[in-house]
Amino acid sequence: MPDRYHIHTTITPGRFYRVGKFGGIDWREDCARCSECVKPRCNYEVHEHEALHNRDPRAALRPLYECKACFSCVQGCTKGLLSLSINPEYLEMGDEYWTPDIIHTTWVQADAGKIPVSGAGYRGPFHGTGFDSIWTDMSEIVRPTRDGIHGREYISTSVDIGPKPMRLEFSPDGRMITPPAHLLEIPLPVILDIPAWPVRETGLALARAAAARRLGTVAVLFARDAAAVPESDLGSVVPIVSAEDIEKRRDLIRNSSSMIQLPDGPEIDAAAAEVRKLKPRSIVSVRMTLRPDTADRLVALAGKGLKVFHLCADPHGRERGGDGTPGRHIKDALREIHGRLVGEGFRDEITLITSGGIALAEHMAKAIICGSDLVAADTALLVALGCRVCLNAHSLLIDGADLGSPEFRDPECPIKSAAGDLHYAARRMVNLMGAWHSQLIEVLGAMGIREVRRLRGEVGRAIFREEIEKEAFGDLDRMPMEPVTA
Amino acid sequence: MTTTIADLKRQNNERYQRPGNSDYPQETVERIVRPAPDRYRNAIGKFKVDRLANCIACGRCAEVCSYGVHAKPEGYKYTIRPQDYRCIGPACLETGQDCVSQCPVHALRVRLNPNAECLGDPRWSSDLVLATWHMAETGHRPPAHLEYRLGESGGGFDRIRFKFEVDGSEPDRALADKPEDPASNSGPEADTGLELNRRGDNRPRIRIDIPVYGGGMSFGSVSIHTILAKARAMTAWNSFTCTGEGGYPDRLKPYDDHVITQVATGLFGVREETIRRVRIVEFKYAQGAKPGLGGHLLGDKNTPDVAQMRGAVAGNALFSPFPFHSVYSVEDHKKHLDWIKEVNPRCLVSVKVSTPTDVDMVAVGSFYAGAHIIHLDGSYGGTGAAPDIAKKNIAMPIEYAVPKVHKFLSAESIREKVTLIASGGIRTAYDALKAIALGADGVVIGTTEMIALGCVRCSTCESGRGCPRGIASTDPEMVALMPLDWATQRLINLQNAWREQMIYVLKKLGLPSIQSLRGRTDFLCYMDDSINTKDVAK
């Protein structure tokens, strides 16, 4: 039996300013210095750490934010001098999709690669839109398929990228006519993608390539960045090469991984043929923006022999409408595309990679349930390095400006400092993927599914809010949200 | 001399001449509501009352406040620090007889308490936490400024209302002072009792006085005081509490008749002797907060006492594997239930499962395997430790599972022969009533009891020394933070407040008993934001 796939994580504390949720307010001038002081009794030694921090002349003038909001000190102080408040800086992080909680949990996962475990039940809203309107199913007692995640059976998270023949064909004399399939097998259903907005940091690209090599997956890089990747990591690089640059990048195409990405365009099939001529066993993937008509485009391109597609949604996981406005969430778009390809009869030949809006491990599982073969992590990798998905970056996204340009050079941007230390950045990316991988195994184990390939398009193993609401509450009378007063 | 099964049966039969199965002297606990104020010095309320430095200590505020916020005891020179957790806020300010307007030097100010804003989350809103604390303190419904019926999750129970709540027939809650007070309810009281054995087999008919019992929490995940308080309160209310999967502490023996012992996948602390002494045995197949994953006690909380109880090594993380390695079919499941029934011929058997898509089939399978109680644990339920991904994403919330199973069991014509219990997200008495109206017979609560004991949902039960408030900790110093008598009283009070609310709602609906509410979805409505208010008004 081959070795089980295992991601070796290393504890790598973040070097960025960590914004916390709760801040303490302390009216010290009223303190009576009583013998009943609650501060030394803090379970987490928050007050002690804070005092040390405040006395350290080298420490930054910033709060520590270690408080867990247990209220023991607030409620115990003999004079009631302590109180808590929610840190406004925390609430300002990210946006409505990349919420402060998502950013915070990603930081923690990138620290040590551990699954976030906590006490007490779920704390969030009942449901949301997009991925938050899906629950994954689980297997109760009657499906004898597995032995739990801590048991003997191996849960495979490997996926194959590349054109897969539906059947083998043989000549009358018994020779196999079907050309052998050249697949790229990666041990976890994630590839590391370029950031969703233009971050011109070659160091970041190099870190992505190094992380991909350690993980056994691949990293997507612009060709100009890929040229700087050391030879040892080049085998894990998927360069994005434009059709007109193919000849110029011939060495890169030959030496990088077997997958090459070509941006979608009118002459894409000719460009793909050119790549295959340079490197016969290459896997050409078409990188395309997810749009309402993507399913039609996929069917047309599949007819021309292109079988691997990387669908890019916006950072909130939505397709872009014809006028550039956000459209459906990838959950709905993927279900349509997957269903269409199944209807056309060649879904199994195709590989779909989805990126944009994959913010948590659960999104990976849910995107695969909706029909993707694998996903690509983009913004999440930046967040692992301390990115707060700040408004600055969003304005860049909108107007297409360049973070590398001097007017956007923010000395505080954690990405800039992280990109300067390749090993630090790569370790945090590996840690995050390690945590995602473990969480995927948890979900697969709960579902009783032993390999992630079988999860693709398995909508029967998911509970969709729209359907279950109708089933459970369909017979209840409806009332408007506001009571009728007339 | 070896003991044969026949000997055991004979011994059991002799013992069962009395109602319970325990041979240990059983304690009784009085069902009396007494005030049980916050065990911390500074109780948290929704509003904060600031007394500014220009206060002249005239005592006028203490004279006008009828809620006990201000006090100037005789002989005191100054008014004491405001007990602002009692303040009802704007509703009082509107009367004109409030401390702020009556203060001759304008030294008082009332504002929202920033501490209260840090408390809670969409599922357990700040109001819900404070309201539950109030109920646990007083034993009655909280005042109108606290929302005690709904959370802010935007779905499930928070979208469902009883029609009388929204059709204008109920007086404004701000005006209705305490409609659930028995004094204001004339006429006979509605029956809140629940039969647990409906199979009609030769096992005891157990009836509990409230349609609620306590969920399983293991010794290790919570402190011994928490376990005992739960057991004592449920003894007072003639209901049950559950040991969870962590063994049966000796100190629980005086309450054997009100304890459910749990047999879960790790079989921690399960012995034939503990199965024989109780009246209900629960099989835990899965837990709602982490369905399909099994239990997990982190190493820090596995203290020597816990390890001894579980037959494990202290300091090691303990996993309950998923699933039962001896159950891979309904036939295997029946074999398990038969095993328990053979060991204890007078116990009822409950089967606790979580809520996958085919939960209805699982329920039917469990019934035919011989279960008396089918206990559905929804995915938003509590836990001492679970992966965040599991709490949010795996399996369906209880609101969906209850009607699904109720309808399926009814269609199979076996609904009347089994007791259906819902748990995993039952936060309020109204949640419980809605679950029953959707098709459950009763509910199991867990987090609500923890909140009543002072939990603030800081989500750190799993790590280090455990709960910083001494509820879910096995560290001796932390355990001592919560006195057992106080904890017992808080839980007795909570159940009283819930029962008063249940009786109030049943009376509003004109129903004689809680059992007659089961499956009455015609009393419920769904608040749909896609419907226009004006259209309905026309």
Side-chain angles (χ1 to χ4, degrees), chain A residues 50-63:
Chain A
E50 229 166 57
L52 289 174
H53 179 83
N54 291 343
R55 285 190 206 119
D56 181 358
R58 292 162 302 175
L61 285 171
R62 281 173 164 167

Side-chain angles (χ1 to χ4, degrees), chain A residues 75 118 123 126 469 477, chain B residues 163 380 391 400 457 469:
Chain A
Q75 288 197 260
S118 59
R123 302 167 63 91
F126 190 83
E469 284 261 315
D477 289 341
Chain B
K163 285 178 183 164
Y380 289 163
K391 289 187 202 173
Y400 297 143
R457 279 174 72 74
R469 298 170 74 90

Side-chain angles (χ1 to χ4, degrees), chain B residues 251-311:
Chain B
R251 287 181 70 184
L252 265 184
K253 280 184 180 173
Y255 315 103
D256 280 341
D257 286 351
H258 299 280
V259 170
I260 300 172
T261 194
Q262 195 178 75
V263 179
T265 50
L267 299 175
F268 288 124
V270 173
R271 286 173 297 161
E272 291 201 352
E273 182 257 323
T274 58
I275 291 170
R276 279 197 210 110
R277 69 163 83 125
V278 295
R279 294 197 290 163
I280 303 178
V281 179
E282 176 177 285
F283 264 103
K284 187 187 89 170
Y285 279 85
Q287 184 178 339
K290 42 188 168 182
L293 300 179
H296 187 183
L297 184 74
L298 276 83
D300 289 336
K301 286 179 79 174
N302 185 11
T303 58
D305 286 348
V306 173
Q308 190 188 11
M309 183 72 69
R310 296 188 180 211

